[in-house]
Amino acid sequence: MVKKILSILSLIVLAGYLVYSVVAMTDRHEDTRICRGVDLHITDSLHFDLIDEEMILSLLQEHSVDPVGLPLEEIDLERVENTLLLHPLVGKVQCYRTGGDMLRINISSKVPLVRVMNNRGQDFYVDSKGEILTQRSLAVQLPVATGYIDRKYASEELLQVVRAIDRSEFWKAQVEQINVTKDKQIELVPRVGDHLLILGTADDVENKLARLMNFYEKGLDNVGWNKYRSISVAYDNQVVCKKRK
């Protein structure tokens, strides 16, 4: 009888050990899930194509933070994010692990609005948040700003004007160049029409562009786009035109 009881207890212990072993092995397997790849999602790229998947994956490899093949729990998400933020055209990065053993990376690129080529020979871009981008020769079509423009002016007054232009489909298409004179008077060079548009300072730029638009529709359409040498809205409630000689 005692032997039978001991045999039963042995079987129970053995069964318990087998169950524990299976559970432990399962837990260890779950703890060592391997990253199978990178699920990369880039926003803003459809508009500018400044960054692409090949560029981002190369950046991960160059800085030895490529997660593929590593246990998911060992991937330093913060380090991956900070590495990608080193790229001058990357704006925001978010990394997280997925249930499919992948590393999801969401990236938004910076959005340049204007290229500055100033009187000092400096060449840089200004993005939508006023940040200076020193990346050269971006393959995007942007208005060019020339003249007396330092970085502070570019990030503040110039950006204010460029944002106003960017909000209007008409002015986005019409303005080819922005020039800033020594006394900080802003001039616009249009694509259509042989004249100069003078805004004056960056103050109240939305109203100035609206007055110009009104003059375009009611004035230039009647007298012709090449009659005037310059059209100025630098002063409140006025449109001052200088005729060609």
Side-chain angles (χ1 to χ4, degrees), residues 37 86 103 142 231:
L86 293 174
L103 183 69
L142 297 172
I231 303 169

Side-chain angles (χ1 to χ4, degrees), residues 7-244:
S7 297
I8 294 172
L9 289 174
S10 297
L11 290 174
I12 293 173
V13 170
L14 179 60
Y17 175 76
L18 291 174
V19 170
Y20 170 79
S21 298
V22 170
V23 172
M25 288 178 65
T26 302
D27 289 341
R28 284 197 298 271
H29 175 69
E30 291 181 352
D31 289 342
T32 56
R33 288 166 49 202
I34 302 300
C35 178
R36 297 189 298 107
V38 174
D39 181 13
L40 184 62
H41 182 69
I42 302 173
T43 57
D44 299 330
S45 61
L46 292 178
H47 187 50
F48 287 106
D49 289 324
L50 296 181
I51 55 179
D52 55 30
E53 183 173 353
E54 182 180 356
M55 182 189 301
I56 295 304
L57 295 180
S58 296
L59 195 61
L60 294 175
Q61 294 172 358
E62 289 171 9
H63 289 80
S64 302
V65 290
D66 186 354
V68 179
L70 297 178
L72 282 172
E73 294 301 320
E74 294 181 13
I75 298 173
D76 188 337
L77 299 182
E78 185 176 359
R79 186 183 174 201
V80 173
E81 291 176 353
N82 290 335
T83 296
L84 295 178
L85 287 171
L86 293 174
H87 195 284
L89 296 178
V90 171
K92 293 181 180 180
V93 182
Q94 181 189 35
C95 298
Y96 57 90
R97 306 172 185 88
T98 71
D101 295 345
M102 302 283 285
L103 183 69
R104 173 66 180 247
I105 303 179
N106 295 328
I107 295 180
S108 62
S109 65
K110 294 176 182 177
V111 182
L113 291 183
V114 62
R115 182 176 185 176
V116 176
M117 303 174 71
N118 66 19
N119 63 308
R120 300 177 183 176
Q122 296 174 328
D123 186 352
F124 56 87
Y125 295 83
V126 183
D127 77 354
S128 57
K129 296 182 178 179
E131 184 175 343
I132 303 299
L133 309 179
T134 56
Q135 193 89 354
R136 291 196 173 214
S137 301
L138 298 180
V140 292
Q141 186 175 356
L142 297 172
V144 175
T146 58
Y148 293 81
I149 306 171
D150 58 26
R151 295 193 173 201
K152 184 176 184 298
Y153 185 89
S155 297
E156 296 175 1
E157 288 90 340
L158 178 63
L159 180 63
Q160 183 179 343
V161 173
V162 173
R163 281 175 173 168
I165 292 172
D166 191 63
R167 284 191 287 268
S168 166
E169 290 301 321
F170 174 81
W171 290 117
K172 277 173 66 175
Q174 174 69 338
V175 175
E176 183 175 33
Q177 181 181 341
I178 303 167
N179 185 62
V180 180
T181 66
K182 193 173 184 178
D183 56 351
K184 300 305 180 188
Q185 297 296 295
I186 299 168
E187 304 170 340
L188 305 181
V189 179
R191 296 182 187 277
V192 179
D194 188 16
H195 54 261
L196 194 65
L197 303 174
I198 302 173
L199 295 184
T201 64
D203 299 332
D204 200 22
V205 62
E206 295 277 4
N207 180 268
K208 291 176 180 178
L209 290 176
R211 274 188 281 144
L212 275 176
M213 175 69 81
N214 185 60
F215 183 76
Y216 264 44
E217 293 174 344
K218 297 181 179 179
L220 288 187
D221 282 348
N222 294 325
V223 301
W225 285 51
N226 296 318
K227 180 175 181 178
Y228 300 111
R229 177 165 53 90
S230 67
I231 303 169
S232 174
V233 289
Y235 304 102
D236 291 344
N237 302 317
Q238 295 183 42
V239 178
V240 179
C241 302
K242 290 185 179 181
K243 292 182 179 180
R244 296 187 177 281

